[in-house]
Amino acid sequence: MHAATHHHDLYTVEQVRALDRRAIDDLGISGLELMSRAAAVAFACFCRQWPQARRLVVFCGPGNNGGDGYLVASLAHGAGLGVEVVELNDAQQGDAKSARETWQRSAGVTHRWHRDGSLPLADVYVDALYGTGLNRAPEASASSLIDRINASGVPVMALDVPSGLNADTGHCPGSAIVAQLTVSFIAAKRGTYTGQAATKVGTLVVDTLGLPEILWQGMPSDAALLEAAHLPPRARDAHKGNNGHVLAIGGDHGTAGAIRLCSEAALRSGAGLVSVATRADNLFALNAARPELMAHAVHGPQELQSLLERATVLAVGPGLGQAAWGHALWLTALDSGKPMVLDADGLNLLAREPRQFSTPVVLTPHPGEAARLLSSTIAEVEKDRFAAARALAQRYDAVAVLKGSGSLIAHPDGRLDVCTWGNPGMATGGMGDLMTGVIAALMAQGCDAWQAARMGVGLHARAGDLAARHGERGLLASDLLEPLRTLGNGLAHG
């Protein structure tokens, strides 16, 4: 498995190719030796995952990924398993051609794929059709094969990346293999952690193929996996003023719930004081539900001004609306120069009236809001989430959190972290309002925007995973409040 110094690093396909070339050119390890190591690792993973399996079929494409597949087939055949290879074509060159010859010498059964043909029966299928080089939809013949494999109900082990998934972006432009297990070689590819990857890769194993640590030295990575973190314990003599004052601004008529979830999450994440600037008709509900919140009726900018003066950090947007009331409060908040988290209508207003920030700001858009902020489309955002998150951070000079499966946190200087926690149960109303409050509370307690966004996204997602132990369907945003407190104090590992 990964050596410690780079085990959280994520790489682009081009960077992994550079590592590959470096292993061959500088370390003198042949391409065929790397292929053999990859096959040995993959076969060992196969044996661990499916110890009862007796028959496997390996689907081989024309490139080096297919070469890995032929060698896996040879190893399985040598171990006495029933093995068949189905190949897209026999256009192999170089190392892949040598690998195919090794397989042919083992006298195993080889078929050519025909679109009207049937798939051989097996306990497990091995996907070695396309590796990391594919950045378009698979061709028609391969697409029909991928669809047949997926429809078969046979579990799949993918080599390096499920065929059809873009290993750079996590986007699937066409058909893609749905694997139970993906064994990835040399380094972690960033696209296997975000976007559509969650529905394709299954369990992901990354193996460095026994390559020496020197290989990674001086080689840039593109991004990093988010690590679990929480604030250190409080000083014994702490008082509420030490832990900051969050002012949550929002909750137009009929949206008291959004601003309550945001502000309560700020309390549960450790803010010393939390005030709410909202419509007068929300006060009774807020006071009755959570008396620790200091709820204020605000009719316009004048009344907001005195609240702004006392605040350390602002959380702007949940339930704010985009009408005159919300717009006036939004403008006043932005002009105050206070650090802030902007979400929901706070982001939609920013898309209408863009500005660059000179104070610490975290933007937390979902793909729809991100598309509006970038004058783009949701499809374009999802096609390359890494590029979209970085573009947001640069355009607005703010830390940007692009929510979704594999949330991304981007800094204006290009740094980017990927969150691998979270679950589909979190796709319900109010979850984003919580995240806004969590990040604002961390900023109030002294984190800079980058630290607060990374820690906040991680705590929010891990709290979602803890809460989902009772089931994903029916998970409520407020179910995360207790786990947020537990995790924020380092009392559980979720």
Side-chain angles (χ1 to χ4, degrees):
M1 297 299 287
H2 277 314
T5 53
H6 52 84
H7 73 304
H8 279 88
D9 290 343
L10 301 180
Y11 296 83
T12 63
V13 169
E14 191 47 55
Q15 286 168 336
V16 178
R17 282 207 193 103
L19 285 165
D20 214 48
R21 280 195 300 272
R22 196 176 194 178
I24 293 167
D25 298 345
D26 297 359
L27 302 178
I29 300 168
S30 72
L32 198 57
E33 166 64 17
L34 287 174
M35 207 173 261
S36 301
R37 289 186 190 187
V41 163
F43 185 58
C45 288
F46 164 85
C47 294
R48 263 201 313 277
Q49 180 91 4
W50 294 284
Q52 309 303 318
R54 291 291 166 263
R55 298 182 56 77
L56 74 158
V57 174
V58 185
F59 297 91
C60 293
N64 280 350
N65 195 242
D68 295 339
Y70 287 113
L71 293 184
V72 168
S74 302
L75 288 171
H77 188 270
L81 298 179
V83 188
E84 296 178 50
V85 165
V86 174
E87 48 188 20
L88 270 181
N89 54 45
D90 55 3
Q92 283 77 13
Q93 296 172 329
D95 295 332
K97 192 173 185 186
S98 307
R100 184 172 184 259
E101 287 161 2
T102 300
W103 161 248
Q104 287 179 315
R105 281 196 298 276
S106 73
V109 181
T110 309
H111 310 273
R112 178 69 58 82
W113 165 244
H114 298 291
R115 288 179 72 168
D116 50 359
S118 59
L119 299 182
L121 294 173
D123 300 316
V124 180
Y125 286 156
V126 177
D127 163 32
L129 291 170
Y130 293 108
T132 56
L134 188 77
N135 52 15
R136 53 184 164 74
E139 60 189 65
S141 174
S143 267
S144 66
L145 175 53
I146 288 169
D147 293 342
R148 292 285 286 281
I149 292 169
N150 287 341
S152 71
V154 175
V156 178
M157 175 174 78
L159 303 186
D160 222 11
V161 63
S163 295
L165 174 71
N166 185 318
D168 245 351
T169 63
H171 178 64
C172 299
S175 295
I177 287 284
V178 177
Q180 261 194 26
L181 173 68
T182 298
V183 186
S184 189
F185 309 121
I186 298 185
K189 290 85 184 168
R190 67 179 199 174
T192 55
Y193 294 89
T194 194
Q196 291 168 277
T199 62
K200 311 297 178 193
V201 298
T203 302
L204 181 61
V205 174
V206 180
D207 196 286
T208 55
L209 303 185
L211 293 166
E213 195 55 43
I214 194 169
L215 183 72
W216 286 268
Q217 285 171 12
M219 287 295 272
S221 61
D222 180 78
L225 288 177
L226 201 56
E227 298 184 58
H230 56 86
L231 290 171
R234 291 188 167 170
R236 301 318 313 162
D237 61 350
H239 59 83
K240 62 190 178 188
N242 297 137
N243 297 303
H245 188 159
V246 171
L247 172 60
I249 303 170
D252 200 352
H253 299 298
T255 55
I259 203 65
R260 180 195 160 186
L261 286 166
C262 170
S263 45
E264 193 164 347
L267 278 176
R268 289 296 189 192
S269 302
L273 295 163
V274 180
S275 294
V276 185
T278 189
R279 289 284 197 182
D281 52 8
N282 295 333
L283 294 193
F284 179 79
L286 287 168
N287 285 330
R290 182 52 64 207
E292 297 87 349
L293 294 173
M294 297 179 289
H296 301 268
V298 172
H299 296 96
Q302 281 70 33
E303 288 161 310
L304 185 61
Q305 208 62 54
S306 59
L307 296 175
L308 285 169
E309 284 160 19
R310 297 201 293 274
T312 318
V313 179
L314 314 180
V316 183
L320 185 66
Q322 297 178 61
W325 179 81
H327 182 252
L329 297 189
W330 177 84
L331 265 183
T332 310
L334 263 59
D335 289 343
S336 73
K338 295 270 181 179
M340 74 177 76
V341 185
L342 272 180
D343 186 31
D345 283 323
L347 296 170
N348 293 325
L349 288 164
L350 182 64
R352 280 174 22 194
E353 298 174 38
R355 62 166 78 188
Q356 276 209 319
F357 294 100
S358 53
T359 50
V361 171
V362 179
L363 311 176
T364 59
H366 58 55
E369 290 156 349
R372 290 191 280 279
L373 286 165
L374 293 170
S375 311
S376 181
T377 63
I378 294 175
E380 282 299 307
V381 167
E382 291 289 36
K383 197 170 175 184
D384 189 344
R385 288 169 55 81
F386 293 90
R390 286 188 165 115
L392 283 166
Q394 280 163 358
R395 179 177 291 200
Y396 295 96
D397 203 13
V399 172
V401 175
L402 179 57
K403 295 186 287 202
S405 177
S407 291
L408 308 183
I409 307 102
H411 191 283
D413 68 10
R415 281 179 288 170
L416 189 146
D417 273 19
V418 183
C419 177
T420 54
W421 302 292
N423 63 79
M426 296 173 73
T428 62
M431 288 289 175
D433 302 320
L434 286 188
M435 185 192 284
T436 303
V438 175
I439 296 171
L442 293 169
M443 288 171 79
Q445 290 167 88
C447 293
D448 65 27
W450 174 241
Q451 291 169 321
R454 291 163 71 229
M455 196 184 297
V457 168
L459 285 170
H460 177 264
R462 289 161 60 215
D465 288 342
L466 268 184
R469 288 179 183 177
H470 302 296
E472 291 178 359
R473 190 172 282 113
L475 183 67
L476 304 182
S478 52
D479 294 338
L480 271 62
L481 292 168
E482 269 305 320
L484 270 172
R485 182 183 174 196
T486 305
L487 289 164
N489 285 291
L491 298 176
H493 304 287

